[in-house]
Every structure is written in C-alpha cells, then in structure tokens.
Amino acid sequence: MHGVAGRTVLVAGATSTVGLAAMGALVRAGAHVVAAGRSAARLEPLAALGARVEEIDLTDEGAVTALAAQLHADGIAVDGVLHLVGGWRGGGGIAGQTEADYRLLEASFTALRHVSRAFDADLAGSPAGRLAIVSSTVVDRPLAGGASYAAVKAASEAWVRAAAQGYAKQARDAGEPLRAAAVIFRVTSLAGLEEAVADAFVGLWEAGAPANGAIVAIGEGTA
C-alpha cells in the first residue's frame, strides 16, 4: 500500500471541526475510517462521507475494549489512531482552577489511555501503525489561568512519548524494523488549522514523515 491508502484509521473524538477535516483528508487519500464519538447526530455527516461510525463514550474503558473486540471480530485491525478528544476550561489563576473544570479536561487524557491501550497491539503489529494527538504550546509555557489544561496536555504528551518507546522496544525485542510511530502535533490555536492538522496526520504515512516520538509544530500558534 502507498501512504495511507487502503489502511484503516480510527479517529477518536471525530465529531469536531478538526475531526471532519481529518475524515475528509483520509477518505480523499483512500483510507478506511472508523469515526468514534458521543453524538449519533453529529456522526451522521461522517457516515455520509463513508466512515464506519461508532457512537461511544471513549472515557468508558469497557466500551472502548468492546469496540476493539467488535472491530477485530469483523476482521478489522487499525493502522492508525488520531486522538481528538479535547476541550478548554480556564481562567482565575491557580486559585480559580476548579476541580470540575479539571475533571472535564481530564476526560481527554482518560480517553487517550483507553484507546491507545485497546489498539496497542494493532498499531505495533501494523506494517505502518501511527498514533497521533493534538497538543498545545502551553505545555512549554504554562500559565496560571490555564494550569489544568496545560497539565492534561503535558500528561497526554508524556503518554504518547511512552507509547513511542513501547513501539521501539517491541520492534527491538522482536528483532524487526520499527514500523510504528507515535507523534505529537502542537498548535497555539487550533482554530483555522484544522485542515493543516488533517494533512499532517495523513502525511505520517508518507516518505520523510516525522520519526517515532516526534513533536511537530503546526502553524504559528490552543488545541
């Protein structure tokens, strides 16, 4: 297979604007897409574009495990995961970082952990497995008013870098070339960069793509 064409990609949290952009880019490139999200109504446009849609709460570990089992039962192993579960809450300095806001933001990291675990064997075993998240430049420049957001993004980046090390170790232990890659896309503001993120994700299957564990800056400037 050339590039992403013919490969199966799971877009986790697919009903956002960037999810729709990624879906379009993947379909145009010839990929098979599994679009996962909470809202059946918001998944409908993705189904119309040709995605297999899955209404699911990605923060529910059992539901994610069941999704992986169902795909495998249907003869589907994923070659890529684009994690787009996110959100923003902030303001009020450190004292204004409410527990409720943090828990809402934490859902992104929870979903990432569930999805990356459930599909780890698929990605590591694929001829070209790819895991990617959209992170933020606030990881390097956290502000008091966005401390919770920055903390969740930093945790997510650490998880993806650990996944990258895991892919490398599995390949090394098996005496095989490294074929999987985990990559972090960083933006300052996602608004207006949805198509750029989508194209960057599709590009992970092209020659000269970022290496396993890479942090890739997109645009000039919060995911």
Side-chain angles (χ1 to χ4, degrees):
M1 288 183 283
H2 173 69
V4 77
R7 306 191 193 279
T8 298
V9 177
L10 171 66
V11 180
T15 58
S16 62
T17 302
V18 66
L20 185 60
M23 168 71 196
L26 288 163
V27 168
R28 288 192 297 273
H32 308 294
V33 181
V34 180
R38 288 177 181 264
S39 169
R42 293 178 66 185
L43 286 167
E44 285 181 6
L46 302 182
L49 289 174
R52 169 172 173 157
V53 298
E54 297 287 344
E55 183 181 357
I56 182 174
D57 177 1
L58 293 168
T59 68
D60 181 334
E61 182 179 14
V64 175
T65 300
L67 172 60
Q70 184 59 61
L71 292 177
H72 295 157
D74 293 342
I76 299 170
V78 304
D79 300 292
V81 171
L82 175 59
H83 176 77
L84 297 174
V85 181
W88 161 257
R89 290 286 180 91
I94 290 295
Q97 302 297 291
T98 71
E99 190 64 14
D101 285 349
Y102 174 77
R103 293 302 171 191
L104 182 143
L105 294 167
E106 186 184 41
S108 172
F109 182 43
T110 299
L112 171 63
R113 292 185 294 108
H114 294 338
V115 171
S116 59
R117 283 198 302 259
F119 294 98
D120 182 71
D122 283 13
L123 296 175
S126 168
R130 302 289 185 266
L131 168 65
I133 65 168
V134 180
S135 186
S136 172
T137 55
V138 301
V139 171
D140 281 343
R141 298 188 300 276
L143 302 176
S148 293
Y149 178 80
V152 168
K153 289 298 188 183
S156 298
E157 288 199 7
W159 187 271
V160 172
R161 290 198 302 271
Q165 189 276 334
Y167 298 155
K169 184 178 187 302
Q170 290 180 65
R172 184 173 63 250
D173 290 350
E176 297 179 350
L178 175 61
R179 300 184 179 93
V183 174
I184 297 161
F185 297 132
R186 276 191 188 167
V187 300
T188 297
S189 176
L190 182 54
L193 292 177
E194 294 89 352
E195 295 290 347
V197 169
D199 291 343
F201 181 62
V202 170
L204 292 181
W205 280 271
E206 302 296 337
N212 184 37
I215 298 175
V216 180
I218 297 180
E220 296 184 353
T222 290

